[in-house]
Amino acid sequence: QKEVEQNSGPLSVPEGAIASLNCTYSDRGSQSFFWYRQYSGKSPELIMFIYSNGDKEDGRFTAQLNKASQYVSLLIRDSQPSDSATYLCAVKVTNAGKSTFGDGTTLTVKP
Amino acid sequence: SAVISQKPSRDICQRGTSLTIQCQVDSQVTMMFWYRQQPGQSLTLIATANQGSEATYESGFVIDKFPISRPNLTFSTLTVSNMSPEDSSIYLCSLVTEGSGSYEQYFGPGTRLTVT
């Protein structure tokens, strides 16, 4: 079992819909959770992070943690074609440790 | 925010040779990170480079293959030694700034390496 797993997709949603991306992790002691967006041919950029104590909303993006089921979600409301990218999930077991990345989910938002 | 530049942006190298990748940051940072991203795959951390001390390598990566220098707080190099086609990948440097309740991570534009 991989430490961090994501559905590779592609996930396709119409413009204006909610895109829901999920990531499961194996280490129950994980403390920090990150979502990165990576456009084709570009470097990843960090868009959201949460600690184990709660969810976070930032504009159209919401990161939610379900500790009991060991998964973290990224919701993108009012999806735009510019949201089309690969979304990488990463998890840190300790705040000082390294991040382990999932393989990413490719999202396509169709106009 | 931070601005990170890398050189070269891409290179095609012959097996058995070595390539040194440079990473320049526009601010002083204690730790810099080197990642590899193979085609269609996710990011794998190679090592953490601290200024003034030896780099810390992750499992599966060794100093003889990936020597790292960190001469000051704004610059680092990663050398890919004795290259084989399996080393074909994108190599990225990165930095993290973390404070109370805040976390920021920035990546360089990457170096696309092809080994023939």
Side-chain angles (χ1 to χ4, degrees):
Chain A
Q1 181 189 6
K2 287 186 177 179
E3 293 179 59
V4 179
E5 293 205 54
Q6 298 180 252
N7 187 326
S8 62
L11 173 66
S12 181
V13 300
E15 183 174 357
I18 295 176
S20 178
L21 303 155
N22 290 326
C23 167
T24 60
Y25 59 94
S26 61
D27 194 319
R28 189 170 289 276
S30 297
Q31 296 288 326
S32 312
F33 307 87
F34 307 86
W35 284 100
Y36 299 79
R37 178 176 62 201
Q38 186 171 26
Y39 291 115
S40 181
K42 301 295 186 182
S43 299
E45 56 179 317
L46 179 65
I47 56 172
M48 290 284 284
F49 79 95
I50 54 173
Y51 295 120
S52 59
N53 58 353
D55 303 339
K56 181 185 285 187
E57 180 176 322
D58 183 1
R60 296 186 295 112
F61 297 90
T62 299
Q64 297 177 324
L65 174 64
N66 185 319
K67 292 172 69 174
S69 299
Q70 294 179 231
Y71 74 83
V72 57
S73 302
L74 178 69
L75 302 177
I76 306 175
R77 289 181 299 281
D78 187 25
S79 295
Q80 302 297 308
S82 59
D83 295 325
S84 298
T86 296
Y87 289 80
L88 302 170
C89 169
V91 175
K92 288 174 77 170
V93 174
T94 65
N95 288 335
K98 69 165 188 171
S99 296
T100 300
F101 285 79
D103 289 341
T105 297
T106 299
L107 171 68
T108 300
V109 181
K110 296 187 174 179
Chain B
S1 63
V3 177
I4 305 175
S5 60
Q6 284 185 237
K7 288 187 203 179
S9 59
R10 60 178 62 226
D11 208 340
I12 300 173
C13 302
Q14 293 195 348
R15 68 174 69 205
T17 62
S18 298
L19 176 71
T20 295
I21 302 167
Q22 299 178 7
C23 178
Q24 179 76 51
V25 183
D26 69 342
S27 57
Q28 295 185 336
V29 292
T30 304
M31 289 195 294
M32 292 173 70
F33 304 88
W34 286 98
Y35 288 86
R36 180 170 75 182
Q37 186 171 32
Q38 296 185 304
Q41 297 187 24
S42 192
L43 293 163
T44 301
L45 181 64
I46 298 171
T48 302
N50 297 317
Q51 196 272 331
S53 64
E54 293 287 331
T56 303
Y57 289 83
E58 297 299 317
S59 176
F61 298 96
V62 295
I63 187 171
D64 290 346
K65 175 68 175 177
F66 297 100
I68 287 172
S69 78
R70 185 79 204 274
N72 58 53
L73 291 173
T74 64
F75 187 78
S76 179
T77 67
L78 170 76
T79 298
V80 186
S81 303
N82 188 24
M83 287 183 284
S84 67
E86 292 71 35
D87 295 320
S88 297
S89 187
I90 297 172
Y91 292 85
L92 297 135
C93 65
S94 175
L95 64 89
V96 169
T97 60
E98 190 169 9
S100 176
S102 71
Y103 186 97
E104 298 176 350
Q105 181 167 16
Y106 302 96
F107 289 88
T111 296
R112 183 180 294 271
L113 170 62
T114 302
V115 183
T116 60

